[in-house]
Amino acid sequence: MRMSPEDMTVVALLADPDAPTEIAQRMARMLPARLAEKSGPGRRFEVEVVSEPFTAATEDVPTLMRRIIDRARAEDWDVVVALTDLPLHSNGLKLVVDLSHEHGLALLSLPALGGLRLQARAQRVVEEAVLGLADARSAGAGGAPRSRADLGPFASRLAPVRRGPIGERETADLRYVVSGARGNVRVLLGMVRANRPWRLVPGLSKALAAALATGAVATVNSTVWTLAETLSAPRLVIATVGSVALMIGWLIVDAELWHRSAESSPEARQRARLYNASTVLTVGIGVLVCYAGLMVVNWVWALFILNGEAFASVTRTPLHAAEYVRLSWFVASVATVGGALGSGLESDDAIRAAAYSKREQERRHTLRDDPGDQPAK
């Protein structure tokens, strides 16, 4: 293990661009102090954050581990922890973290940590991994990892995280995976969290403009008043579901977000299902946020523009709070359909950022434009 005269351990957080880099940068602010506190007196840590697309063009775990090793050899790093927002698989199981004590490196798949408290969970894993790897390397390359390196406390609190099998030719000597229905849900929620669906809303500006215009016109239309008053609550719910589903489907089709795997292996099909499920959930959350916003705007607009006497003369119903809610609810559904048509004018960049498969294509494009960023193989 390379140590400076001041007994300094250099830790590199090698992070994929976007969310992993942001998590690593926030983590790096407090990580040196926390590591020094946990490791005991006389030991200091220096943390560097390196943002580059080390997962470009592959999701194969052994290949990624080799890339990290090659990348570390070119730098003066003692321990390397790589963070990615891609869901990684190994032997049919979803990977949480791979560790190689001989090489002083770890590979962490953030989606496997779930969608809640991601920053805190990621920091806990990184702390335990760094301390264990540093202990093992200080004891000598290839030395037996100490108890702290096995992440036991972390795994026990985050069931269904457990140890996973490792192939004979793999670089890792310790692996944690998630499995079962709970594991699938955890990874799916982690993927949606990594996609950050709230970023989809600003990308729908043209669709929102079309929806707002549709809603403004519909709110003052007497036929819409009559329809809103005659529709029962179940039918209003059906209108909501139908309009939201139409918007989701149109965005996915128009931006070509549906992932079709070129491979026929079970793991490739499983990845495709995960990609598509996370895309539907991400786009769905974004559309629901837009729908809620439309409903509020339509309600405010109705409060300002509607005349109670005119409304009552058409619908034969007094204009009370319930009528405002019913009208704004129905108009939001109508406006969402108008927004679906307006979404055809959108730039696909923000929408495509919701899909892992498209973000992977962007990484390939970046790597092709700047070959110098590619880790050596």
Side-chain angles (χ1 to χ4, degrees), residues 147-224:
S147 59
R148 184 163 47 192
D150 64 6
L151 306 184
F154 166 79
S156 63
R157 279 197 291 270
L158 288 183
V161 177
R162 60 179 179 83
R163 289 198 182 195
I166 302 174
E168 294 182 359
R169 298 184 178 181
E170 293 194 62
T171 305
D173 51 42
L174 184 61
R175 169 173 294 160
Y176 279 90
V177 298
V178 292
S179 59
R182 289 179 61 195
N184 291 335
V185 172
R186 179 188 295 276
V187 173
L188 179 59
L189 293 178
M191 293 172 68
V192 174
R193 170 65 175 78
N195 281 340
R196 295 182 290 184
W198 53 88
R199 295 178 59 185
L200 184 65
V201 177
L204 299 177
S205 57
K206 294 183 177 64
L208 283 174
L212 289 171
T214 302
V217 173
T219 301
V220 297
N221 187 291
S222 59
T223 303
V224 174

Side-chain angles (χ1 to χ4, degrees), residues 231-261:
L231 288 176
S232 62
R235 289 191 174 187
L236 287 172
V237 171
I238 292 173
T240 298
V241 173
S243 61
V244 168
L246 176 64
M247 184 72 158
I248 294 171
W250 177 256
L251 288 173
I252 291 176
V253 171
D254 185 56
E256 299 179 354
L257 296 181
W258 199 255
H259 180 73
R260 293 180 177 85
S261 176

Side-chain angles (χ1 to χ4, degrees), residues 13-16 20 23-24 27 54 81-85 108 110 122 126:
L13 300 180
L14 180 63
D16 263 337
I23 290 174
M27 192 184 302
F54 71 92
V81 180
L83 295 86
T84 179
D85 56 358
L108 173 61
L110 294 172
V126 171

Side-chain angles (χ1 to χ4, degrees), residues 41-106:
R43 197 168 195 178
R44 295 192 299 161
F45 292 83
E46 177 184 332
V47 178
E48 301 177 8
V49 177
V50 179
S51 178
E52 60 183 51
F54 71 92
T55 59
T58 186
E59 297 174 20
D60 180 63
V61 174
T63 300
L64 294 177
M65 293 291 278
R66 288 194 296 270
R67 285 185 178 183
I68 299 167
I69 291 173
D70 292 341
R71 183 69 176 85
R73 285 174 179 166
E75 304 289 344
D76 190 27
W77 297 334
D78 300 307
V79 174
V80 182
V81 180
L83 295 86
T84 179
D85 56 358
L86 291 178
L88 301 178
H89 298 75
S90 179
N91 300 316
L93 300 172
K94 297 170 183 63
L95 179 73
V96 179
V97 61
D98 256 7
L99 299 103
S100 172
H101 296 84
E102 177 183 356
H103 298 93
L105 63 88

